[in-house]
Amino acid sequence: MGRVDGKVALVTGAARGQGRAYSLRLAEEGAAIVAFDLCESVPGVLYEGATEEDLAETVALVESIGGEIIARKGDVRSPGDVEAVVAEGLDRFGYIDVLVSNAGVSFLARSWEISEDDWATQIEVNLTGSWRVAKAVLPSMIEAGRGGSIIFITSGTAHRASGNMAHYASTKSGLEGLCREMALEVAPYRIRVNTLQPTAVRTPMMDNQGLWELFTPGQDDRSLEERRQGMLDLMSQFNILEVPWVQPEDLANGVLFLASDESSMVTGSPLRVDAGYASH
Ligand SMILES: NC(=O)c1ccc[n+]([C@@H]2O[C@H](COP(=O)([O-])OP(=O)(O)OC[C@H]3O[C@@H](n4cnc5c(N)ncnc54)[C@H](O)[C@@H]3O)[C@@H](O)[C@H]2O)c1
């Protein structure tokens, strides 16, 4: 008996990184998956976006463990794309019990140097996009009368400054507020809303040349591998457990808990899977 047997989960940003790990872990424990991803790079973001091949790989991995999955390419910035994937999920599976609102991008700049375009895109993808997907899922969740679980992936930056992330941190802090408000409103329907707050995570968003260089200023004489190691050494000081970052699989266990009935009395709350990042 799986821990989320019979449930259906919509996972945004499912092509790679955390979204892939969430899809796999939930499928392992019996959930059917509706996977959604942009599968393109976002202009202004320093690292490459996911691809359609990445999304196909998530599908193949879920199917290889016997899971059920449908996948659609689309943008959380587009109400039409979001409504289409929700409709497709409902058409195929009948209901959606769990939303893992995970799609996101990360721009980097000091607060006074952020362009109007980058600010707008950052807010539109991470904050407005997350609200938009939840808004699209909730009416059918309420109507189905099965309860439900909405999980927003936020970040330690919602609590602690790290520099160059004013726009990003604003989206993650905003999601914490959205979580509390939404949790209050949907509680009468036995729908719970929580956030999962990671520290740095080993995914392309964090493990890329732009960040290795940002963390090791003025060290152009060092190799890229040395600069990456320099970044990891610095990041290790931010967490109280002796790790520079956590793995997507560490977070997937947290998402599984919040998606399952084991957390039936947990709502309006952040779950920190952050190696102690926000505790000091
Ligand atoms: N990596 C970290 O250190 C870290 C730390 C804390 C929180 N987070 C958050 O975790 C979440 C997942 O990020 P990740 O680390 O797996 O990075 P990632 O870049 O590997 O994955 C993000 C996924 O979101 C998708 N995506 C981006 N914009 C989209 C859009 N407009 N519509 C649909 N899909 C879109 C991407 O294509 C990608 O597959 C993000 O919300 C991120 O902000 C990441």
Side-chain angles (χ1 to χ4, degrees):
M1 175 86 180
R3 289 164 64 188
V4 286
D5 254 350
K7 293 190 192 292
V8 179
L10 169 58
V11 182
T12 69
R16 70 178 189 194
Q18 293 174 47
R20 176 182 286 170
Y22 300 152
S23 303
L24 265 169
R25 189 74 187 97
L26 291 169
E28 259 171 15
E29 293 290 340
I33 307 297
V34 181
F36 184 71
D37 202 289
L38 180 64
C39 303
E40 284 172 21
S41 292
V42 173
V45 173
L46 283 178
Y47 52 92
E48 294 288 310
T51 63
E52 292 189 50
E53 290 71 36
D54 290 327
L55 186 57
E57 176 72 11
T58 297
V59 170
L61 286 166
V62 168
E63 287 177 345
S64 74
I65 57 166
E68 271 194 285
I69 181 167
I70 59 170
R72 168 177 276 271
K73 176 177 173 344
D75 193 335
V76 296
R77 290 170 290 182
S78 158
D81 287 0
V82 167
E83 282 155 23
V85 73
V86 170
E88 203 173 324
L90 292 174
D91 190 46
R92 170 70 184 270
F93 298 116
Y95 43 82
I96 295 171
D97 303 295
V98 176
L99 166 62
V100 187
S101 180
N102 163 76
V105 288
S106 163
F107 286 85
L108 291 168
R110 292 184 294 183
S111 49
W112 67 95
E113 294 170 337
I114 298 168
S115 71
E116 290 279 345
D117 279 352
D118 287 358
W119 177 274
T121 304
Q122 184 68 91
I123 302 290
E124 183 63 21
V125 175
N126 289 21
L127 179 58
T128 312
S130 297
W131 160 78
R132 182 172 289 121
V133 181
K135 173 183 158 79
V137 163
L138 274 170
S140 68
M141 223 180 230
I142 291 170
E143 196 187 344
R146 296 166 51 88
S149 174
I150 293 179
I151 304 156
F152 294 116
I153 307 303
T154 65
S155 157
T157 60
H159 279 279
R160 189 173 157 187
S162 56
N164 290 295
M165 303 200 90
H167 36 4
Y168 180 83
S170 298
T171 68
K172 298 304 188 180
S173 301
L175 284 172
E176 295 291 338
L178 175 64
C179 164
R180 288 190 297 272
E181 289 293 327
M182 197 176 267
L184 180 70
E185 293 171 357
V186 301
Y189 308 102
R190 289 187 302 114
I191 299 170
R192 300 176 295 105
V193 188
N194 294 289
T195 68
L196 185 114
Q197 276 183 13
T199 181
V201 192
R202 188 181 182 179
T203 68
M205 181 183 286
M206 193 70 219
D207 197 6
N208 64 73
Q209 189 175 336
L211 273 183
W212 308 337
E213 290 174 353
L214 189 77
F215 271 82
T216 55
Q219 300 182 18
D220 298 348
D221 52 326
R222 297 177 75 195
S223 71
L224 281 179
E225 189 45 47
E226 286 170 334
R227 295 185 80 171
R228 177 174 184 267
Q229 190 53 52
M231 177 182 89
L232 294 182
D233 292 344
L234 264 178
M235 282 173 17
S236 296
Q237 300 168 17
F238 300 153
N239 301 319
I240 63 174
L241 294 177
E242 288 184 11
V243 289
W245 46 26
V246 296
Q247 306 295 329
E249 293 71 24
D250 299 320
L251 302 170
N253 287 320
V255 160
L256 174 62
F257 170 69
L258 291 176
S260 77
D261 295 338
E262 295 161 19
S263 59
S264 62
M265 290 297 134
V266 181
T267 194
S269 178
L271 174 61
R272 293 178 180 157
V273 185
D274 71 351
Y277 174 86
S279 70
H280 70 126

